[in-house]
Amino acid sequence: MSVGPVQSVGARLLDVGKTVVRSPFEIVGGSFEGYSAYRAGATNFVGSTATGGTIAETVGTFLRNIFGKLFTSGLTGINATTAEVGGVTLGQAFKNIFTAGSGNFGTAIRAFGGRFAAAGAAGGTLALGHVGLAAIGIIMGAQLALKAYSKFSDTKKGYHPDTVSNPYIHLAQAFTGLTTAIGGAMMFVNPALGLATLGVGFAGSLGIGVLKHFMGGFNWFRYPDLAPYPLNKLFGTHRNPGVYDGQT
């Protein structure tokens, strides 16, 4: 039975759709395989090659292979016990660079460069991701801390810059932002402890955000302009004026 052009195009489009759906799972699967290989002592996880098969199979295997190598080679490079310069690991180089008074800034810079190069593309990607996450934690945490503390100060003076008038809720949120920023900074000194601190700060700020949601009576029917576009138009059109207008 011959396959017509319509069926052939349809099959290709279906395969592309499968590729989009399958790719995230392949990335996660490759990451777990790579990490398992790393824990088992493998120095270079290769995995299967991405040849043949449908588009979804080829792309999926390719992604699985790439992320497997990324996590195995990257973690192996970062956690190696020696480096070409200075005899320190990449994490120790981070610590030397960002610890005041270490007295070996130049050596740490050279060690960092040597360890960074030795880790290869995979390790470099992980290292850059580490620095990027730390920077995001510092910037976003500091912004949240300053903004929340400003609201705390205003509410203490009798102003109401937020739907929640309790100043101590804003003070608690300021502390979660500060914790997030401190965690981001600590990732350069102690990556594990810094990441845990950053996670605690982020989870705390998220929890207080949910608490403020309930305390302030916030919802998109009452404040449609706060909803993202185009939902703001939808909620603005269908809100009930008799229920929400005139309420404080």
Side-chain angles (χ1 to χ4, degrees):
M1 181 178 179
S2 61
V3 179
V6 175
Q7 290 90 336
S8 179
V9 172
R12 285 289 182 178
L13 290 176
L14 180 61
D15 199 25
V16 170
K18 289 180 180 178
T19 303
V20 174
V21 174
R22 179 174 172 174
S23 293
F25 296 98
E26 295 292 351
I27 289 172
V28 173
S31 301
F32 275 111
E33 285 187 9
Y35 184 73
S36 299
Y38 162 75
R39 293 284 294 178
T43 57
N44 185 23
F45 173 74
V46 178
S48 57
T49 57
T51 57
T54 64
I55 296 175
E57 291 171 346
T58 302
V59 174
T61 306
F62 174 77
L63 289 173
R64 197 178 191 89
N65 190 23
I66 287 295
F67 275 80
K69 288 182 178 179
L70 172 67
F71 273 73
T72 305
S73 302
L75 289 171
T76 300
I78 287 178
N79 293 323
T81 55
T82 59
E84 287 71 20
V85 182
V88 296
T89 64
L90 179 60
Q92 185 62 42
F94 273 133
K95 183 176 181 179
N96 290 344
I97 290 172
F98 292 96
T99 301
S102 60
N104 57 351
F105 186 81
T107 301
I109 289 291
R110 293 193 299 274
F112 177 83
R115 186 69 266 142
F116 192 85
T125 302
L126 288 178
L128 289 175
H130 175 96
V131 174
L133 182 60
I136 290 173
I138 293 172
I139 295 170
M140 293 185 64
Q143 288 180 338
L144 176 61
L146 292 172
K147 184 177 180 180
Y149 187 80
S150 176
K151 290 183 178 182
F152 163 74
S153 179
D154 286 343
T155 50
K156 285 283 287 183
K157 295 175 183 177
Y159 303 109
H160 298 286
D162 193 89
T163 56
V164 175
S165 59
N166 188 324
Y168 297 103
I169 294 297
H170 301 297
L171 182 61
Q173 192 167 47
F175 273 113
T176 63
L178 182 61
T179 302
T180 303
I182 291 174
M186 287 176 60
M187 287 181 67
F188 293 113
V189 180
N190 187 322
L193 183 59
L195 183 61
T197 305
L198 188 151
V200 169
F202 179 78
S205 64
L206 184 63
I208 291 180
V210 173
L211 178 62
K212 286 179 62 180
H213 170 89
F214 289 105
M215 290 182 63
F218 165 78
N219 62 75
W220 286 343
F221 282 107
R222 186 171 184 180
Y223 305 104
D225 291 339
L226 297 179
Y229 180 84
L231 293 179
N232 57 344
K233 303 296 182 183
L234 176 66
F235 284 101
T237 302
H238 297 285
R239 65 195 297 267
N240 188 338
V243 175
Y244 296 109
D245 283 359
Q247 293 188 10
T248 58

